[in-house]
Amino acid sequence: LRPVYERTGGRDGYVSVEVTPGKARDTRATIEEVRELWSIVNRPNVMIKIPATKEGLPAIAQAIGDGCNVNVTLLFSVERYREVADAYLRGLRIRAAAGHPVDRVASVASIFVSRIDTLVDNLLEKKIAAAQDPQASQRLKGLLGQAAVANSKMVYQAFREIFGGKEFAQLKAQGAAVQRPLWASTGTKNPSYSDLLYVDALIGAHTVNTVPPATYAAILHHSRPALTVESDLAGARNV
Protein backbone atom coordinates (compact mmCIF):
# COMPACT_ATOMS: atom_id res chain seq x y z
CA LEU A 1 0.00 0.00 0.00
CA ARG A 2 3.00 2.34 0.11
CA PRO A 3 2.47 3.46 -3.53
CA VAL A 4 -1.11 4.45 -2.63
CA TYR A 5 0.22 6.47 0.29
CA GLU A 6 2.74 8.24 -1.94
CA ARG A 7 0.26 8.85 -4.76
CA THR A 8 -2.35 10.39 -2.45
CA GLY A 9 0.08 12.53 -0.49
CA GLY A 10 -0.50 10.60 2.71
CA ARG A 11 -4.29 10.60 2.56
CA ASP A 12 -4.75 6.86 1.91
CA GLY A 13 -2.72 3.64 1.85
CA TYR A 14 -2.39 2.92 5.56
CA VAL A 15 -1.94 -0.36 7.42
CA SER A 16 -3.07 -0.55 11.06
CA VAL A 17 -1.21 -2.37 13.84
CA GLU A 18 -2.88 -2.55 17.22
CA VAL A 19 -1.59 -1.98 20.72
CA THR A 20 -1.99 -5.10 22.90
CA PRO A 21 -5.69 -5.09 23.97
CA GLY A 22 -4.74 -5.91 27.56
CA LYS A 23 -3.25 -2.43 27.88
CA ALA A 24 -6.51 -0.65 26.96
CA ARG A 25 -6.97 0.58 30.57
CA ASP A 26 -3.37 1.66 31.08
CA THR A 27 -2.43 5.04 29.60
CA ARG A 28 1.31 4.84 30.23
CA ALA A 29 1.66 1.29 28.91
CA THR A 30 -0.31 2.24 25.80
CA ILE A 31 1.92 5.24 25.10
CA GLU A 32 5.03 3.11 25.52
CA GLU A 33 3.78 0.43 23.14
CA VAL A 34 2.67 2.99 20.55
CA ARG A 35 6.19 4.40 20.52
CA GLU A 36 7.68 0.91 20.35
CA LEU A 37 5.47 -0.19 17.44
CA TRP A 38 6.05 3.07 15.60
CA SER A 39 9.81 2.63 15.93
CA ILE A 40 9.82 -1.06 14.97
CA VAL A 41 7.63 -0.71 11.87
CA ASN A 42 9.35 2.55 10.89
CA ARG A 43 7.14 3.29 7.89
CA PRO A 44 5.17 6.49 7.28
CA ASN A 45 1.99 4.64 6.26
CA VAL A 46 1.46 2.69 9.47
CA MET A 47 -1.36 3.60 11.84
CA ILE A 48 -1.21 2.45 15.45
CA LYS A 49 -4.58 1.32 16.81
CA ILE A 50 -5.51 2.73 20.22
CA PRO A 51 -8.84 1.74 21.84
CA ALA A 52 -11.18 4.63 22.68
CA THR A 53 -11.24 3.93 26.41
CA LYS A 54 -11.08 6.80 28.90
CA GLU A 55 -7.48 5.79 29.57
CA GLY A 56 -6.82 5.73 25.83
CA LEU A 57 -7.74 9.39 25.33
CA PRO A 58 -4.52 10.91 26.76
CA ALA A 59 -2.53 8.23 24.93
CA ILE A 60 -4.14 9.33 21.66
CA ALA A 61 -3.18 12.96 22.31
CA GLN A 62 0.40 12.01 23.19
CA ALA A 63 0.79 9.73 20.18
CA ILE A 64 -0.39 12.46 17.82
CA GLY A 65 1.89 14.92 19.62
CA ASP A 66 4.75 12.49 18.98
CA GLY A 67 3.90 12.49 15.27
CA CYS A 68 2.49 8.94 15.16
CA ASN A 69 -0.47 8.13 12.93
CA VAL A 70 -3.36 6.81 15.01
CA ASN A 71 -6.38 4.64 14.28
CA VAL A 72 -8.69 5.18 17.25
CA THR A 73 -10.69 1.97 17.47
CA LEU A 74 -13.81 0.59 19.19
CA LEU A 75 -15.83 3.80 19.18
CA PHE A 76 -19.58 3.56 19.72
CA SER A 77 -21.13 6.74 21.17
CA VAL A 78 -21.33 10.30 19.90
CA GLU A 79 -20.10 11.53 23.29
CA ARG A 80 -16.94 9.43 23.19
CA TYR A 81 -16.39 10.41 19.55
CA ARG A 82 -16.28 14.06 20.60
CA GLU A 83 -13.70 13.21 23.27
CA VAL A 84 -11.59 11.37 20.72
CA ALA A 85 -11.72 14.28 18.25
CA ASP A 86 -10.70 16.60 21.09
CA ALA A 87 -7.74 14.32 21.91
CA TYR A 88 -6.64 14.47 18.28
CA LEU A 89 -6.79 18.28 18.26
CA ARG A 90 -4.95 18.38 21.59
CA GLY A 91 -2.20 16.23 20.11
CA LEU A 92 -1.87 18.50 17.09
CA ARG A 93 -1.61 21.54 19.37
CA ILE A 94 1.12 19.82 21.43
CA ARG A 95 3.01 19.19 18.21
CA ALA A 96 2.54 22.69 16.84
CA ALA A 97 3.56 24.29 20.15
CA ALA A 98 6.81 22.29 20.06
CA GLY A 99 7.54 23.65 16.60
CA HIS A 100 6.97 20.34 14.79
CA PRO A 101 5.04 20.05 11.50
CA VAL A 102 1.43 18.84 11.65
CA ASP A 103 0.88 18.26 7.94
CA ARG A 104 1.94 14.60 7.83
CA VAL A 105 0.11 13.26 10.87
CA ALA A 106 -2.93 11.15 9.99
CA SER A 107 -5.71 9.70 12.10
CA VAL A 108 -9.07 7.98 11.75
CA ALA A 109 -11.82 7.54 14.34
CA SER A 110 -13.28 4.04 13.87
CA ILE A 111 -16.96 3.87 14.74
CA PHE A 112 -18.26 0.31 15.03
CA VAL A 113 -21.63 0.20 13.31
CA SER A 114 -23.42 -3.17 13.00
CA ARG A 115 -22.70 -4.14 16.60
CA ILE A 116 -24.94 -1.30 17.76
CA ASP A 117 -27.92 -2.76 15.89
CA THR A 118 -27.09 -6.21 17.25
CA LEU A 119 -27.34 -4.84 20.79
CA VAL A 120 -30.27 -2.47 20.30
CA ASP A 121 -32.34 -4.91 18.23
CA ASN A 122 -31.98 -7.47 21.03
CA LEU A 123 -33.31 -4.92 23.53
CA LEU A 124 -36.15 -3.97 21.19
CA GLU A 125 -37.15 -7.61 20.63
CA LYS A 126 -37.55 -8.04 24.38
CA LYS A 127 -39.70 -4.89 24.58
CA ILE A 128 -41.79 -6.03 21.61
CA ALA A 129 -42.40 -9.41 23.25
CA ALA A 130 -43.49 -7.69 26.46
CA ALA A 131 -45.65 -5.00 24.81
CA GLN A 132 -49.38 -5.15 25.65
CA ASP A 133 -50.43 -2.40 23.23
CA PRO A 134 -50.36 -3.30 19.49
CA GLN A 135 -49.51 0.31 18.60
CA ALA A 136 -46.55 0.33 20.95
CA SER A 137 -45.41 -2.98 19.52
CA GLN A 138 -45.62 -1.62 15.98
CA ARG A 139 -43.69 1.51 16.93
CA LEU A 140 -40.92 -0.61 18.46
CA LYS A 141 -40.78 -2.85 15.38
CA GLY A 142 -40.27 0.27 13.25
CA LEU A 143 -37.05 0.97 15.16
CA LEU A 144 -35.43 -2.39 14.37
CA GLY A 145 -32.27 -1.99 12.29
CA GLN A 146 -32.31 1.80 12.63
CA ALA A 147 -30.07 2.66 15.59
CA ALA A 148 -26.65 1.98 14.06
CA VAL A 149 -27.08 4.16 10.98
CA ALA A 150 -28.77 6.92 13.01
CA ASN A 151 -25.93 6.93 15.55
CA SER A 152 -23.32 7.06 12.79
CA LYS A 153 -25.09 9.99 11.14
CA MET A 154 -25.00 11.87 14.45
CA VAL A 155 -21.27 11.14 14.73
CA TYR A 156 -20.79 12.59 11.25
CA GLN A 157 -22.63 15.76 12.27
CA ALA A 158 -20.28 16.09 15.24
CA PHE A 159 -17.35 15.61 12.85
CA ARG A 160 -18.64 18.39 10.59
CA GLU A 161 -19.08 20.71 13.55
CA ILE A 162 -15.67 20.05 15.12
CA PHE A 163 -13.57 20.09 11.96
CA GLY A 164 -15.49 22.98 10.45
CA GLY A 165 -14.92 25.13 13.53
CA LYS A 166 -12.47 27.86 14.51
CA GLU A 167 -10.31 25.62 16.69
CA PHE A 168 -9.38 23.35 13.79
CA ALA A 169 -9.12 26.23 11.31
CA GLN A 170 -5.84 27.38 12.88
CA LEU A 171 -4.36 23.89 12.62
CA LYS A 172 -5.72 23.45 9.11
CA ALA A 173 -3.89 26.62 8.10
CA GLN A 174 -0.69 24.82 9.17
CA GLY A 175 -1.50 21.85 6.94
CA ALA A 176 -3.26 19.57 9.44
CA ALA A 177 -5.67 16.98 8.05
CA VAL A 178 -9.07 16.16 9.51
CA GLN A 179 -9.40 13.02 11.58
CA ARG A 180 -11.55 10.97 9.21
CA PRO A 181 -14.57 9.01 10.49
CA LEU A 182 -14.10 5.34 9.66
CA TRP A 183 -17.15 3.07 9.61
CA ALA A 184 -16.08 -0.32 10.98
CA SER A 185 -18.03 -3.54 11.49
CA THR A 186 -20.10 -2.80 8.38
CA GLY A 187 -20.93 -6.34 7.30
CA THR A 188 -24.66 -6.89 7.85
CA LYS A 189 -25.21 -9.41 10.65
CA ASN A 190 -29.01 -9.77 10.25
CA PRO A 191 -29.88 -11.58 6.97
CA SER A 192 -33.26 -9.80 6.83
CA TYR A 193 -31.49 -6.46 6.32
CA SER A 194 -29.88 -5.19 3.11
CA ASP A 195 -26.34 -6.46 2.66
CA LEU A 196 -25.32 -2.84 2.03
CA LEU A 197 -27.25 -1.28 4.93
CA TYR A 198 -24.07 0.02 6.56
CA VAL A 199 -22.47 1.10 3.30
CA ASP A 200 -25.05 2.84 1.12
CA ALA A 201 -26.52 4.78 4.07
CA LEU A 202 -23.19 6.24 5.25
CA ILE A 203 -21.50 7.71 2.19
CA GLY A 204 -20.05 11.19 2.61
CA ALA A 205 -16.97 13.36 2.30
CA HIS A 206 -13.88 12.34 4.32
CA THR A 207 -15.39 9.01 5.41
CA VAL A 208 -13.73 5.60 5.20
CA ASN A 209 -15.62 2.29 5.18
CA THR A 210 -13.70 -0.89 6.00
CA VAL A 211 -15.77 -3.73 4.56
CA PRO A 212 -15.42 -7.54 4.68
CA PRO A 213 -14.94 -9.35 1.33
CA ALA A 214 -18.61 -10.35 0.93
CA THR A 215 -19.74 -6.75 1.42
CA TYR A 216 -17.10 -5.53 -1.02
CA ALA A 217 -18.44 -7.95 -3.63
CA ALA A 218 -21.96 -6.66 -2.97
CA ILE A 219 -20.78 -3.07 -3.47
CA LEU A 220 -19.32 -3.93 -6.87
CA HIS A 221 -22.50 -5.80 -7.82
CA HIS A 222 -25.38 -3.55 -6.75
CA SER A 223 -24.34 -0.47 -4.77
CA ARG A 224 -25.75 2.86 -5.97
CA PRO A 225 -23.40 5.45 -4.53
CA ALA A 226 -24.93 8.75 -3.42
CA LEU A 227 -24.22 11.31 -0.71
CA THR A 228 -26.36 9.74 2.01
CA VAL A 229 -24.71 10.31 5.38
CA GLU A 230 -26.50 13.65 5.79
CA SER A 231 -29.89 12.57 4.46
CA ASP A 232 -32.94 12.61 6.81
CA LEU A 233 -31.01 13.93 9.80
CA ALA A 234 -34.26 14.75 11.62
CA GLY A 235 -35.28 11.11 11.31
CA ALA A 236 -31.87 9.97 12.58
CA ARG A 237 -32.18 12.26 15.61
CA ASN A 238 -35.64 10.87 16.38
CA VAL A 239 -34.32 7.31 16.24
Side-chain angles (χ1 to χ4, degrees), residues 4 24 27 31-32 37 45 64 81 84 87 89 105 114 123 134 147 151 175 182 201 203:
V4 177
T27 302
I31 291 171
E32 289 173 357
L37 289 170
N45 62 322
I64 295 296
Y81 167 74
V84 164
L89 295 179
V105 184
S114 67
L123 297 172
N151 184 67
L182 183 152
I203 301 171

Side-chain angles (χ1 to χ4, degrees), residues 9-22:
R11 175 178 169 82
D12 297 317
Y14 290 92
V15 176
S16 292
V17 179
E18 65 183 11
V19 169
T20 307

Side-chain angles (χ1 to χ4, degrees), residues 23 27-37:
K23 297 178 181 178
T27 302
R28 175 48 53 188
T30 297
I31 291 171
E32 289 173 357
E33 188 164 334
V34 168
R35 288 171 173 166
E36 183 181 10
L37 289 170

Side-chain angles (χ1 to χ4, degrees), residues 183-237:
W183 313 128
S185 184
T186 53
T188 306
K189 305 292 190 291
N190 189 327
S192 66
Y193 299 158
S194 164
D195 54 1
L196 294 178
L197 173 62
Y198 308 119
V199 175
D200 282 355
L202 297 175
I203 301 171
H206 302 295
T207 60
V208 182
N209 199 321
T210 55
V211 298
T215 305
Y216 181 61
I219 290 169
L220 296 179
H221 184 255
H222 54 266
S223 178
R224 295 186 177 181
L227 295 173
T228 54
V229 74
E230 294 193 278
S231 65
D232 192 20
L233 293 177
R237 286 192 186 90

Side-chain angles (χ1 to χ4, degrees), residues 24-230:
R25 300 288 179 187
D26 187 329
T27 302
R28 175 48 53 188
T30 297
I31 291 171
E32 289 173 357
E33 188 164 334
V34 168
R35 288 171 173 166
E36 183 181 10
L37 289 170
W38 183 260
S39 176
I40 291 169
V41 177
N42 193 29
R43 295 186 186 216
N45 62 322
V46 67
M47 277 190 172
I48 310 300
K49 278 188 176 182
I50 302 176
T53 56
K54 277 287 187 185
E55 296 83 357
L57 295 172
I60 293 161
Q62 185 60 60
I64 295 296
D66 287 347
C68 304
N69 304 318
V70 177
N71 177 343
V72 183
T73 189
L74 293 170
L75 263 162
F76 296 94
S77 72
V78 178
E79 293 76 14
R80 183 55 56 86
Y81 167 74
R82 286 183 174 276
E83 292 175 326
V84 164
D86 180 67
Y88 173 64
L89 295 179
R90 194 159 67 250
L92 290 177
R93 288 196 299 270
I94 290 170
R95 200 160 169 75
H100 299 306
V102 296
D103 61 331
R104 277 284 176 153
V105 184
S107 182
V108 294
S110 296
I111 295 90
F112 281 61
V113 184
S114 67
R115 297 184 194 188
I116 293 174
D117 272 345
T118 300
L119 175 67
V120 174
D121 281 2
N122 183 52
L123 297 172
L124 287 170
E125 293 284 5
K126 291 177 181 177
K127 287 180 176 290
I128 291 165
Q132 303 293 321
D133 178 13
Q135 283 189 321
S137 177
Q138 199 60 37
R139 182 177 63 83
L140 291 166
K141 286 178 181 177
L143 291 171
L144 289 168
Q146 302 292 313
V149 167
N151 184 67
S152 300
K153 286 186 174 186
M154 293 300 97
V155 166
Y156 189 77
Q157 288 306 294
F159 161 76
R160 288 284 305 272
E161 173 196 327
I162 293 165
F163 290 96
K166 291 181 180 178
E167 187 177 0
F168 181 67
Q170 296 176 337
L171 294 163
K172 184 179 179 181
Q174 298 175 57
V178 300
Q179 182 186 49
R180 298 165 76 185
L182 183 152
W183 313 128
S185 184
T186 53
T188 306
K189 305 292 190 291
N190 189 327
S192 66
Y193 299 158
S194 164
D195 54 1
L196 294 178
L197 173 62
Y198 308 119
V199 175
D200 282 355
L202 297 175
I203 301 171
H206 302 295
T207 60
V208 182
N209 199 321
T210 55
V211 298
T215 305
Y216 181 61
I219 290 169
L220 296 179
H221 184 255
H222 54 266
S223 178
R224 295 186 177 181
L227 295 173
T228 54
V229 74
E230 294 193 278

